[in-house]
Amino acid sequence: GNSVNRVFRRASALIAGLRRDTGGNVLPLAAMSMVVMAALVGGGVDMSRAYRVQNRLQNACDSGALAGRRAVTTNGFDSTAQTQANKYFDVNFDPALQGTTNTTRTYTGDTKGNTISGSAQTEMAMLVMKLFGRAPMTIKATCSSTMGVGNSDVMMVLDVTGSMSS
């Protein structure tokens, strides 16, 4: 019992002394603030990458829809037009350059091919935020292209004076 009391008194005195001593308080505060700063900077870096990838994905989706619509013939949105849409998407979005995986794109058209709709998605791994347990981000884009002829008036002018004969 007596030695236990002595150890307890020494431990209590040591803890009380540590509580009164303010030297060295900066180190734990700096360590905690470094973690917070890393999370803020990492979130900014990863979100700017996500914005860039989403912009590229949207542009590629739009390019594919326009190319697919342009390739439509009297057969509607057939395999030739589908191939053209896919080719333009692939030229405009390279997953390796964007640092993404599992990229998919789908284009569909109505029976005559007047409207081509598309969707694309990809997964982007986090660079910094994965240290904080953030899973890869799925980025999506949708697009469409429509062939429409507005109000067009056709006018035919006949020159009966002969002034245009030469």
Side-chain angles (χ1 to χ4, degrees):
N2 199 11
S3 64
V4 172
N5 285 338
R6 230 179 310 144
V7 171
F8 182 70
R9 278 194 307 265
R10 281 187 183 168
S12 295
L14 180 65
I15 291 173
L18 287 174
R19 206 174 1 177
R20 283 189 304 271
D21 187 12
T22 58
N25 285 346
V26 173
L27 185 61
L29 290 175
M32 288 188 302
S33 65
M34 293 292 263
V35 171
V36 171
M37 290 301 293
L40 289 174
V41 170
V45 167
D46 285 337
M47 288 311 296
S48 69
R49 284 183 58 239
Y51 178 74
R52 180 180 53 85
V53 168
Q54 204 283 329
N55 193 16
R56 291 278 187 160
L57 190 68
Q58 185 66 55
N59 289 341
C61 187
D62 291 341
S63 295
L66 289 170
R69 175 58 198 107
R70 185 170 183 229
V72 168
T73 61
T74 56
N75 297 331
F77 190 63
D78 58 1
S79 63
T80 303
Q82 176 77 43
T83 301
Q84 197 71 0
N86 291 337
K87 185 193 300 186
Y88 269 74
F89 179 90
D90 293 342
V91 164
N92 285 285
F93 190 83
D94 184 0
L97 289 176
Q98 301 305 318
T100 62
T101 58
N102 300 327
T103 303
T104 60
R105 79 272 197 260
T106 306
Y107 291 100
T108 58
D110 61 11
T111 54
K112 292 183 180 179
N114 289 331
T115 300
I116 307 301
S117 299
S119 64
Q121 76 175 36
T122 191
E123 286 185 11
M124 184 190 81
M126 300 287 118
L127 289 179
V128 181
M129 293 307 292
K130 73 179 171 185
L131 299 173
F132 296 97
R134 182 75 164 91
M137 179 184 289
T138 300
I139 300 172
K140 298 179 180 183
T142 59
C143 52
S144 66
S145 177
T146 302
M147 173 63 162
V149 178
N151 294 334
S152 297
D153 295 330
V154 177
M155 181 182 293
M156 187 171 168
V157 178
L158 299 174
D159 182 13
V160 292
T161 64
S163 66
M164 305 288 282
S165 63
S166 61

